[in-house]
Amino acid sequence: MTADLQLWRHARLATMAPGAPWGLIDDGALLLRGERIEWVGRDGDQRASAETVEEHDLQGALVTPGLIDCHTHLVYAGDRAREFELRLEGASYEDIARAGGGIRSTVAATRAASDDALFAAARGRARVLMAEGVTTIEVKSGYGLAQDHEARCLRVARRLGAELPLTVRTTSLGAHALPPEYAGRADDYIAAVCDWLPAQQRDGLVDAVDAFCDTIGFTPPQTRRVFDAASRLGLPVKLHAEQLSDQHGAVLAAQYRALSCDHLEWLGDDGVAALATAGTTAVLLPGAFYFLRETKLPPVAALRAAGVPIAIASDHNPGSSPGLSLLLMLNMACTLLRLTPEEALRGVTAHAARALGLQATHGMLRAGMRADFAVWDLGHPNELSYWFGRNPCRRVVQGGIERGTSR
């Protein structure tokens, strides 16, 4: 059993709160009441309590907010290892997609899989992420591309959140690719995607709506139709934008005050300015950048100068980012995309929470916020993006309950 009031003492806290670098508190403590943080500060400064307090001595260990993977495609069947081989032999990502591979091949495998098979595979992937201190993930649909199949992928994602000690946000990505039955009829397919959204919302399956606006995805006018349908339902939007070309999708998304725009390798100055004005988070995906051997860097310096919050995510998917290590993404964000270690960690905590609309409750260690945190066998938070190939996560607390324990 876990007491309602807990004191986690003698920790090096990287609170990620604004102000001091990393929001660092040496010899800090966290007082938890139930699933919330009641107090954060220097150990010994906490108020006395007449209530019973369960104490945990962390002996100087590093503590960060629970990590947040704010962009994944976790629910799918099959793999695309053969396409990886083809790319290494000279085929481009676009060549493979136009020849019927890419997303469409995963759609065929996903449609053929049972709900239980999809759940078992997604649960296994989620557990790998969780082992590295991840406490919150976003899961997108987009590998069903038909009304029933999109709905069941979203149900599988909801089931992950119900059966695992993990916060799961779901995003409807019906506008991911054109399914074969709609070949040559992209506008008709977009109309269908818009028609599916009310039922997805009514059934409690969707927290946000996404689209892929690019040369092998959908046009800005088609994307606008999806966003209009989402807006009529009061659903926030996100966008896969400027990955392969500059379609000015970020400018479009900013007009809807999108939660996030993701990828952004080809983002132009107008897109940077629009994101800054709208308060939209830029989500960078170094795993896809690496796996596709991209050379066009996202404009990190311009985003930084404009004050656009930058998040980092795994983009786990079978075609362009099959990795399942958010810690590796931190290292790649620094080495490949030129973020600082502090920017990278904010990118999987405070700024990742913004990308999911959860900034009021997740992503920092502050009074009133959810008690999600990870304990690391490390001395300083900059080590999280320095080491790779090992997992230094020692303990994880989710909503005030340590994983592996119960009330």
Side-chain angles (χ1 to χ4, degrees):
M1 298 291 289
T2 302
D4 187 59
L5 202 61
Q6 303 175 60
L7 181 63
W8 293 73
R9 308 184 62 185
H10 302 305
R12 188 171 213 186
L13 302 179
T15 68
M16 308 315 293
W22 311 92
L24 204 63
I25 302 175
D26 284 319
D27 195 22
L30 297 167
L31 184 66
L32 315 184
R33 184 179 295 277
E35 65 177 20
R36 300 287 171 179
I37 299 172
E38 185 164 292
W39 175 88
V40 181
R42 295 270 299 177
D43 190 61
D45 290 348
Q46 64 272 15
R47 63 174 176 77
S49 174
E51 301 174 72
T52 299
V53 180
E54 181 181 287
E55 292 197 11
H56 303 263
D57 189 341
L58 293 174
Q59 300 179 332
L62 175 68
V63 173
T64 70
L67 304 189
I68 299 171
D69 195 347
C70 64
H71 182 135
T72 84
H73 304 254
L74 220 61
V75 178
Y76 64 87
D79 66 71
R80 305 225 295 266
R82 174 56 183 155
E83 293 177 15
F84 174 60
E85 187 176 13
L86 288 172
R87 283 202 304 276
L88 294 175
E89 292 171 354
S92 73
Y93 184 66
E94 293 181 75
D95 292 338
I96 292 168
R98 294 189 190 281
I103 292 169
R104 288 184 181 182
S105 64
T106 299
V107 169
T110 302
R111 288 179 177 182
S114 69
D115 290 4
D116 285 344
L118 289 174
F119 176 74
R123 178 180 56 192
R125 297 171 193 130
R127 287 188 184 279
V128 176
L129 291 168
M130 291 166 64
E132 288 190 345
V134 171
T135 56
T136 300
I137 63 171
E138 184 234 30
V139 179
K140 302 178 189 291
S141 66
Y143 290 127
L145 305 189
Q147 183 171 10
D148 291 346
H149 290 292
E150 283 291 291
R152 71 192 190 95
C153 288
L154 291 167
R155 287 192 185 94
V156 168
R158 284 288 195 231
R159 186 177 167 191
L160 288 175
E163 297 191 20
L164 294 174
L166 182 68
T167 298
V168 177
R169 301 290 282 181
T170 58
T171 297
S172 179
L173 182 56
H176 195 195
L178 191 65
E181 59 268 27
Y182 278 89
R185 297 189 297 127
D187 284 336
D188 291 342
Y189 179 65
I190 288 297
V193 168
C194 295
D195 288 343
W196 303 340
L197 291 177
Q200 292 175 359
Q201 184 190 49
R202 181 196 65 222
D203 295 340
L205 298 178
V206 59
D207 297 312
V209 175
D210 199 347
F212 183 22
C213 181
D214 218 315
T215 51
I216 61 172
F218 296 95
T219 66
Q222 290 163 345
T223 301
R224 183 180 293 278
R225 290 170 60 193
V226 175
F227 284 3
D228 283 342
S231 297
R232 286 193 292 271
L233 297 169
L235 291 169
V237 299
K238 304 164 71 69
L239 189 64
H240 285 60
E242 276 71 273
Q243 180 184 11
L244 305 172
S245 64
D246 188 359
Q247 299 292 309
H248 305 285
V251 174
L252 171 63
Q255 293 170 7
Y256 292 82
R257 297 200 173 274
L259 290 175
S260 73
C261 281
D262 304 27
H263 285 291
L264 301 179
E265 284 87 341
W266 290 85
L267 182 68
D269 291 342
D270 60 341
V272 173
L275 296 182
T277 299
T280 297
T281 300
V283 180
L284 306 184
L285 305 172
F289 181 89
Y290 161 80
F291 195 73
L292 296 177
R293 297 190 295 174
E294 298 288 354
T295 57
K296 177 72 170 174
L297 285 165
V300 169
L303 291 167
R304 184 187 289 136
V308 177
I310 300 173
I312 304 297
S314 72
D315 188 22
H316 176 80
N317 74 83
S320 63
S321 188
L324 280 166
S325 172
L326 198 55
L327 294 181
L328 180 58
M329 297 305 126
L330 293 181
N331 179 272
M332 287 182 173
C334 295
T335 57
L336 299 179
L337 306 185
R338 314 297 194 264
L339 270 69
T340 68
E342 183 178 358
E343 287 174 328
L345 186 56
R346 287 193 185 279
V348 296
T349 53
H351 292 168
R354 285 179 58 97
L356 298 180
L358 295 175
Q359 63 268 31
T361 53
H362 292 66
M364 289 187 283
L365 302 177
R366 301 179 80 171
M369 302 193 85
R370 184 173 163 85
D372 290 354
F373 58 88
V375 181
W376 307 90
D377 187 20
L378 298 171
H380 193 279
N382 61 17
E383 294 184 68
L384 284 164
S385 55
Y386 169 72
W387 300 105
F388 59 94
R390 72 182 182 97
N391 182 7
C393 186
R394 183 192 301 177
R395 305 167 76 172
V396 177
V397 171
Q398 178 99 22
I401 300 174
E402 186 167 7
R403 285 181 184 164
T405 66
S406 61
R407 289 200 185 279

